[in-house]
Amino acid sequence: MDLNYEFYIDATPEEVWHTLVSPEGTRKSFFGCVINSTFKVGDPYEYVGPGNEGDETVQVYGTILFYEPHKVLSYTEHPGPSYQVKHKELESRVTFTLEPVGGCTKLTLENDQWTENHPAYENSKKHWWMMLSNIKTVTETGKSLDLGW
């Protein structure tokens, strides 16, 4: 049930990291969302952006598990309250890992530890490809992909 993806991005780990965590990077690569977090291990985070409840909809939320700038970001993930009634019971783990490879960066995403029968699993399986492609494009060009969303 684990979802694993690898992308090679023509940028430094610092540039990819900026796309992953900065408001300007996430707005472009995560469809208008920003991450609200201290990024301290054990602290909460939320991806907030346009959705069911307007421009400040909590898309997903959870707890920061590991944070090493330019290398690893890992967190638990729950669907936002407006998307699933039992959102607190639904969980998975997301881990982004960055490694320099030659003059580029290897971005690895692992989405695992899914709650049994998690209703977002199939959706995540399809949409991670789009989001990771968008992270690559934003980092390399500064522009978002037009995915019709």
Side-chain angles (χ1 to χ4, degrees):
M1 252 185 93
D2 296 355
L3 302 175
N4 293 288
Y5 307 88
E6 292 180 354
F7 269 65
Y8 291 83
I9 302 173
D10 189 18
T12 65
E14 291 79 11
E15 292 166 322
V16 178
W17 189 260
H18 182 77
T19 301
L20 285 175
V21 301
S22 73
E24 49 283 359
T26 60
R27 271 192 197 99
K28 288 181 180 179
S29 60
F30 288 87
F31 309 105
C33 290
V34 296
I35 305 174
N36 294 331
S37 181
T38 64
F39 294 108
K40 292 181 181 162
V41 172
D43 280 1
Y45 79 91
E46 303 174 316
Y47 277 94
V48 178
N52 287 353
E53 297 175 354
D55 288 343
E56 297 296 313
T57 301
V58 175
Q59 303 291 328
V60 295
Y61 70 94
T63 303
I64 301 293
L65 299 174
F66 194 82
Y67 182 85
E68 185 177 350
H70 314 133
K71 293 185 180 179
V72 181
L73 172 61
S74 184
Y75 50 80
T76 61
E77 183 176 271
H78 301 269
S82 69
Y83 295 101
Q84 295 290 332
V85 175
K86 296 181 178 184
H87 57 94
K88 290 179 184 177
E89 298 171 20
L90 302 170
E91 184 175 280
S92 68
R93 178 178 67 177
V94 174
T95 303
F96 292 98
T97 305
L98 305 179
E99 300 172 57
V101 175
C104 64
T105 299
K106 177 183 174 184
L107 168 61
T108 303
L109 169 75
E110 183 174 24
N111 192 182
D112 62 358
Q113 297 183 6
W114 290 87
T115 304
E116 192 174 337
N117 299 316
H118 196 304
Y121 176 79
E122 288 300 322
N123 192 36
S124 295
K125 191 174 174 181
K126 288 189 303 191
H127 289 117
W128 272 125
W129 288 110
M130 288 187 256
M131 293 173 67
L132 291 164
S133 296
N134 211 19
I135 290 167
K136 176 177 171 52
T137 300
V138 167
T139 304
E140 292 177 347
T141 71
K143 296 178 186 176
S144 296
L145 295 171
D146 180 356
L147 297 168
W149 292 18

